[in-house]
Amino acid sequence: MSNSSLELTISVPGFSSFDHGVGACAMRNIDMNMVPSNSLEDQDDEEISGGGGPPRKKLRLTKEQSRLLEESFRENHTLNPKQKEALAYQLKLLPRQVEVWFQNRRARTKLKQTEMECEYLKRCFGSLTEENRRLHREVEQLRALRVGPPTVISPNTCQPLPASTLTMCPRCERVTTTTTTTSNASVKPSTLTQ
DNA sequence: AAGACTCAGGCCCTTACTTCA
DNA sequence: GCTGAAGTAAGGGCCTGAGTC
């Protein structure tokens, strides 16, 4: 970014548009859709600036303009009014056009970032699904290895509990006791045997 | 000090146009 | 040459923070 143009600009609060003829805007006579003559490609810009504009004609930025805008965007994703004015002057564009370009550029950046995050989450989902499948298989294999119902020793009587009082916790898939008559019978991992 | 109002700037959604396959 | 998709400049609405009264 050249700061020499900064010295030429006057920031006038409240005059964000071009048609006031004050400050830096007075130095330029820029048409809305004027494309500098050094454009490298598509130059069918007759009647672009025609005043009786029925449908709006779309401006295409030149490669050089795009390059400078990108360069500026790399330094700052937002511009203050002075920077905007200076850049607009340098590019022979309106401050509004620079502003719009930055707005759209920020939106594109955000969109790209969102797409990347989406891809990342998809990959995460895929690997987690695979891990989940693997763990389920492992659980099935471990279940298949069981020879009989687990024997649980009551902490009170030190006698084996009847198998009918045992249930499988659906959440953690651990064996618990149902509270029937022996209400204070709890299962400690150490007392659970296969 | 608090609330109403205004204004500028940003974001989002959309439209209109261009380019390209 | 026609067409649909993708890219993008620009319009308009809404929100928010700062300044003023």
Side-chain angles (χ1 to χ4, degrees):
Chain A
M1 167 153 349
S2 87
N3 23 4
S4 61
S5 57
L6 274 174
E7 298 163 7
L8 297 171
T9 62
I10 302 169
S11 175
V12 184
F15 289 90
S16 61
S17 192
F18 65 100
D19 53 358
H20 295 90
V22 228
C25 299
M27 296 187 290
R28 296 172 283 156
N29 223 351
I30 296 170
D31 202 326
M32 187 67 178
N33 282 320
M34 189 190 77
V35 179
S37 58
N38 58 350
S39 176
L40 298 172
E41 74 280 0
D42 53 276
Q43 274 293 57
D44 55 336
D45 55 349
E46 307 95 52
E47 53 92 60
I48 282 177
S49 57
R56 73 182 190 215
K57 181 90 175 183
K58 187 165 182 164
L59 162 83
R60 300 297 295 186
L61 298 173
T62 65
K63 286 179 181 172
E64 181 63 7
Q65 283 171 324
S66 295
R67 190 187 64 78
L68 279 170
L69 284 163
E70 283 289 349
E71 208 170 276
S72 177
F73 185 78
R74 271 196 296 276
E75 290 173 18
N76 263 324
H77 283 206
T78 53
L79 296 175
N80 63 37
K82 276 192 175 180
Q83 289 174 319
K84 192 199 302 176
E85 194 79 33
L87 192 54
Y89 181 80
Q90 190 182 354
L91 297 172
K92 296 184 171 65
L93 291 172
L94 300 170
R96 168 69 185 156
Q97 288 174 302
V98 174
E99 182 182 312
V100 165
W101 187 91
F102 267 75
Q103 246 169 44
N104 287 321
R105 186 65 178 77
R106 282 193 293 269
R108 284 195 290 274
T109 301
K110 190 176 177 183
L111 178 65
K112 201 163 280 181
Q113 200 167 340
T114 305
E115 283 172 354
M116 283 170 65
E117 282 171 12
C118 186
E119 284 305 311
Y120 172 73
L121 289 173
K122 271 186 198 166
R123 282 199 301 275
C124 283
F125 177 75
S127 63
L128 285 172
T129 304
E130 182 51 41
E131 172 78 354
N132 193 29
R133 265 195 224 109
R134 191 185 64 74
L135 290 171
H136 270 291
R137 279 198 300 272
E138 198 177 319
V139 166
E140 289 306 317
Q141 285 168 3
L142 289 171
R143 275 189 180 139
L145 285 178
R146 264 190 210 144
V147 283
T151 306
V152 178
I153 308 297
S154 167
N156 299 333
T157 63
C158 292
Q159 297 295 315
L161 286 168
S164 62
T165 62
L166 302 175
T167 57
M168 184 74 83
C169 170
R171 239 174 105 192
C172 56
E173 296 194 344
R174 285 189 182 151
V175 174
T176 60
T177 58
T178 53
T179 57
T180 53
T181 51
T182 54
S183 59
N184 52 355
S186 63
V187 177
K188 292 175 189 168
S190 58
T191 61
L192 179 64
T193 59
Q194 292 258 94

